[in-house]
Amino acid sequence: MEIKDIKNAKIKAWVEEIKAMCEPDAVYVCDGSQEEYDRLMKKCVDAGLATPLNKDKKPNSFLFRSLPSDVARVEGRTFISSVKQDDAGPTNNWIDPKELKETMKGLYKGCMHGRTMYVIPFCMGPLGSPISKNGIEITDSEYVVLNMDIMTRAGKKVLDVIGENGEFVPCLHSVGKPLNNGEKDNGIWPCADVEHKYISQFPEEHLIWSYGSGYGGNALLGKKCFALRIATVLAREEGWLAEHMLILKLTNPKGEVKYVTGAFPSACGKTNLAMLIPTIPGWKVETIGDDIAWMKFGKDGRLYAINPEAGFFGVAPGTSDQSNKNALISASSNTIFTNCALTEDGDVWWEGIGYPAKGDLIDWKGNKRPALAKDKSPKGEEFAHPNARFTAPAKQCPCIAPEWEDPNGVPISAILFGGRRPSTVPLVHQSRDWNHGVFLGSIVGSEITAASTIDASQVGKIRRDPFAILPFCGYNMGDYFQHWINIGKNAPDQSKLPKIFYVNWFRKDDNNPDLPGGFMWPGYGDNSRVLAWIFDRCDGKDNADDTAIGFMPKAGAINTDGLANYYKKTLPEITKVDKEGWLKEIKDIRENHYPKFGKHLPKELSEQLDILEKNLSK
Ligand code: OXD
Ligand code: MN
């Protein structure tokens, strides 16, 4: 389609304005058809940017390789450009919007020379849902169009929904690599140098400008930039919640259903939990979403969630039949792989896939190397980049719930928080009430391990990632805590609020040689044992003890049938209150975490900290 096919005057004017600034060779409005997808993919293959995979192994799937300077989100180059710095808060990078726009306009000027400017109308959430929101992404990257096609509902149908007067979030993206006359990409991933990358959110204007990166969350602007950073701002303005949470459907052996959301920092197995295969008989987990949840109160007073995305942008390394079979099946066709290794027979491979590769591999940097006899590689010598990804349509997930696109969303019974905590935090505990739950969300974090830092003095400290939304909150995190408190306070019916739980799959005992990896809990499918306890808690079942830190499973309340004996022995240890550990935790929160938020810290959270301390000293 062309600009003239756009009926909405506001969109048209904005597209014309960006065209005049970026000076592309052509402008193309995406219709979202299969023919368009195939044509643009062929363009990428012809330009040497994409490799078609073996049709017998991975039908209609392609592999892209990025440059080593463009392999992940760039938090250091991500900005919340609010008018006042205080509104961006202590956890976001801030530049004055006037200054940032001047700088970025300088970069955008003529940045699309030699390229086509694509206009992608997209919807976050099921089309026509009262919870969904529309956006328009302008980009000069075919890779972005193709990924947005999988990750969102995109194309003409969205323009029709927006109509002549509907609202949309404008999202501008350029890879920041103009081409001189006749110049071609020649198989080299286009992007700008790190110091010229800007991932900018303007919260007052609900506007996104991204420059210089073609990768994932930096470039697929519907995801982290819109569905989290701008959506957190919209949610606060409009009284709902935009969260970095998976959504799952849990069915018990009687066929009763509950829906659960969960916030976990990156690399804590969120996608695995969303697609879990239970090890306890009769229980079923189905997926609604694996990364983002938008939640609004329904007419019945319950909190309803939708998954604003239509696909999974999952981390490939570590995904195996054992860790997440359903993700592998989701990505077995019609999938875009990025920075995975390529096998001799035209398939993809990555570390932790569960089997060694054969023959030679082309690694993510494009070098041919003989495969190793195992499915691990030394750090820095990986064949697949540790942040290699698959972009797969959610509808291909074998355990996708039939109602995953219900425009009304699904009613949430429980909200989980969790991080990687080798000590202190038990396997599961339930908050006493909403504010206590908000407190638990506010202290989410992962312990820094020797594997995650080169600075030995940091090991054992806790990197806090409140609500697992630290890199994705579009405003002051203290005000975000207050928003959560207010949601509870102003709920149409307090008794219908979801119950809040803190889970920890990662307790360790390195001195016990029986435990694989030193982990005191098996995780993966066995997490269903904890989900089952949570399910029953939501029904008010008498399966908990009231402890100093909240409700915890009564002895025998977690189903251990079929669990290895050594885990049966560790279970009492990980389901009791570690008083010393929690007192240290309180000190860390009081001295290092909460003071960052200054006057923005809700008094309700300091109160919760005092209550916890008092309970522990009883
Ligand atoms: C993601 C992340 O890519 O949270 O989803 O980092
Ligand atoms: Mn995420």
Side-chain angles (χ1 to χ4, degrees):
M1 296 192 292
E2 301 169 39
I3 299 185
K4 68 173 171 42
D5 298 316
I6 301 174
K7 300 284 174 291
N8 181 302
K10 222 165 123 189
I11 300 178
K12 209 175 194 158
W14 179 61
V15 171
E16 290 288 5
E17 182 194 323
I18 301 303
K19 178 183 166 198
M21 176 165 75
C22 298
E23 301 169 6
D25 284 11
V27 178
Y28 176 81
V29 181
C30 300
D31 61 24
S33 64
Q34 186 64 43
E35 180 279 323
E36 178 182 275
Y37 183 92
D38 297 342
R39 178 163 35 88
L40 294 183
M41 188 60 89
K42 183 169 182 313
K43 198 171 169 187
C44 293
V45 172
D46 292 347
L49 295 168
T51 306
L53 298 176
N54 181 336
K55 290 190 174 53
D56 296 330
K57 306 266 178 197
K58 297 276 184 307
N60 192 32
S61 299
F62 299 82
L63 171 67
F64 286 75
R65 285 184 207 106
S66 77
L67 279 188
S69 62
D70 202 26
V71 291
R73 289 185 287 101
V74 279
E75 288 176 16
R77 306 294 310 162
T78 300
F79 301 94
I80 300 300
S81 189
S82 43
V83 174
K84 291 197 215 123
Q85 181 165 7
D86 196 40
D87 289 335
T91 58
N92 284 312
N93 299 315
W94 177 85
I95 301 179
D96 177 85
K98 280 205 194 83
E99 181 191 329
L100 184 56
K101 280 196 174 169
E102 269 321 295
T103 308
M104 290 190 75
K105 277 182 186 166
L107 293 167
Y108 280 132
K109 186 73 198 151
C111 73
M112 294 188 187
H113 278 182
R115 299 194 184 274
T116 298
M117 177 174 124
Y118 298 93
V119 179
I120 316 167
F122 67 95
C123 179
M124 298 313 291
L127 240 52
S129 160
I131 313 179
S132 299
K133 301 244 176 226
N134 300 309
I136 306 282
E137 176 159 356
I138 292 181
T139 180
D140 53 3
S141 160
E142 287 82 17
Y143 174 83
V144 166
V145 178
L146 294 163
N147 276 271
M148 286 291 283
D149 222 40
I150 297 175
M151 293 304 297
T152 72
R153 286 91 177 162
K156 182 171 178 309
K157 53 188 187 272
V158 182
L159 272 189
D160 294 342
V161 169
I162 299 175
E164 291 186 15
N165 300 308
E167 288 186 21
F168 65 96
V169 170
C171 310
L172 171 58
H173 170 254
S174 170
V175 292
K177 181 82 179 67
L179 296 167
N180 296 322
N181 282 348
E183 194 190 347
K184 298 254 180 314
D185 284 321
N186 272 336
I188 297 174
W189 174 270
C191 64
D193 297 338
V194 170
E195 66 271 26
H196 291 131
K197 293 189 207 287
Y198 288 91
I199 320 300
S200 308
Q201 284 70 203
F202 300 93
E204 284 91 356
E205 294 173 74
H206 307 157
L207 172 69
I208 299 162
W209 278 10
S210 165
Y211 183 90
S213 167
Y215 205 87
N218 302 330
L220 315 178
L221 302 186
K223 193 174 179 65
K224 303 297 186 183
C225 300
F226 179 172
L228 287 174
R229 297 196 191 98
I230 292 299
T232 49
V233 173
L234 293 166
R236 182 178 176 221
E237 288 169 4
E238 298 168 2
W240 51 281
L241 294 168
E243 300 302 324
H244 189 209
M245 288 182 179
L246 64 90
I247 314 168
L248 63 81
K249 174 184 178 184
L250 187 58
T251 307
N252 74 2
K254 288 192 212 146
E256 293 159 341
V257 167
K258 293 199 194 303
Y259 298 94
V260 177
T261 62
F264 298 81
S266 305
C268 287
K270 213 150 104 245
T271 303
N272 297 348
L273 184 62
M275 299 179 189
L276 171 145
I277 302 172
T279 52
I280 42 175
W283 288 81
K284 191 155 120 190
V285 167
E286 290 161 275
T287 312
I288 305 280
D290 80 326
D291 196 39
I292 301 175
W294 284 359
M295 294 184 274
K296 245 181 204 174
F297 287 109
K299 287 196 186 73
D300 61 359
R302 297 190 69 188
L303 201 52
Y304 283 76
I306 61 160
N307 169 11
E309 303 190 279
F312 308 125
F313 185 64
V315 176
T319 309
S320 66
D321 263 356
Q322 194 245 326
S323 70
N324 195 341
K325 194 177 179 145
N326 288 324
L328 281 186
I329 299 171
S330 309
S332 58
S333 62
N334 307 312
T335 294
I336 297 172
F337 294 92
T338 310
N339 288 344
C340 298
L342 180 65
T343 65
E344 278 177 352
D345 57 358
D347 203 349
V348 281
W349 186 90
W350 49 76
E351 281 73 15
I353 199 169
Y355 53 86
K358 293 196 192 81
D360 287 337
L361 286 172
I362 313 267
D363 69 15
W364 70 275
K365 292 182 182 160
N367 299 320
K368 196 173 192 171
R369 293 194 276 146
L372 304 179
K374 50 187 183 189
D375 92 334
K376 297 268 171 298
S377 304
K379 210 169 176 265
E381 290 172 34
E382 292 89 353
F383 288 88
H385 186 276
N387 192 36
R389 297 282 178 151
F390 56 82
T391 318
K395 61 174 185 271
Q396 293 186 179
C397 179
C399 61
I400 198 83
E403 63 273 46
W404 79 282
E405 297 195 276
D406 187 334
N408 296 318
V410 293
I412 300 303
S413 296
I415 296 175
L416 316 184
F417 295 114
R420 281 182 181 265
R421 295 298 306 267
S423 69
T424 311
V425 179
L427 179 64
V428 58
H429 67 299
Q430 183 191 352
S431 77
R432 232 168 256 110
D433 54 32
W434 182 264
N435 283 358
H436 182 208
V438 176
F439 166 76
L440 294 181
S442 79
I443 64 167
V444 166
S446 290
E447 229 158 274
I448 301 173
T449 62
S452 64
T453 183
I454 47 166
D455 179 355
S457 71
Q458 294 296 308
V459 174
K461 289 198 176 149
I462 296 149
R463 184 175 287 143
R464 303 276 169 197
D465 184 354
F467 291 75
I469 207 168
L470 191 69
F472 309 121
C473 185
Y475 61 98
N476 190 308
M477 184 68 83
D479 296 341
Y480 167 92
F481 296 157
Q482 188 65 56
H483 177 55
W484 264 80
I485 300 276
N486 294 348
I487 284 281
K489 202 164 16 190
N490 304 328
D493 182 343
Q494 309 267 332
S495 72
K496 291 185 178 166
L497 280 167
K499 307 275 183 288
I500 302 181
F501 299 82
Y502 199 120
V503 297
N504 179 21
W505 320 132
F506 300 98
R507 279 291 287 273
K508 284 196 92 175
D509 179 359
D510 289 324
N511 299 320
N512 183 341
D514 287 340
L515 302 173
F519 288 104
M520 298 168 85
W521 179 248
Y524 301 108
D526 285 309
N527 291 338
S528 56
R529 299 171 190 276
V530 177
L531 292 180
W533 181 79
I534 289 172
F535 187 106
D536 290 342
R537 281 309 292 158
C538 293
D539 280 341
K541 197 167 162 188
D542 177 25
N543 57 356
D545 291 327
D546 190 354
T547 77
I549 62 170
F551 299 113
M552 292 177 74
K554 270 197 168 129
I558 300 259
N559 181 341
T560 55
D561 293 349
L563 200 62
N565 261 337
Y566 45 83
Y567 291 127
K568 285 185 187 162
K569 283 194 203 136
T570 50
L571 190 59
E573 184 62 26
I574 61 177
T575 47
K576 72 175 196 213
V577 179
D578 170 4
K579 189 171 162 183
E580 290 313 307
W582 277 101
L583 288 172
K584 274 208 326 237
E585 183 85 9
I586 291 171
K587 187 168 180 311
D588 183 57
I589 296 166
R590 205 165 257 147
E591 289 176 6
N592 303 316
H593 182 43
Y594 276 178
K596 286 198 283 275
F597 306 104
K599 66 179 179 12
H600 291 267
L601 185 79
K603 65 172 187 341
E604 289 86 347
L605 293 189
S606 325
E607 278 165 20
Q608 287 296 328
L609 198 55
D610 295 341
I611 295 171
L612 179 60
E613 191 168 43
K614 210 167 101 216
N615 287 347
L616 284 162
S617 62
K618 269 183 201 159

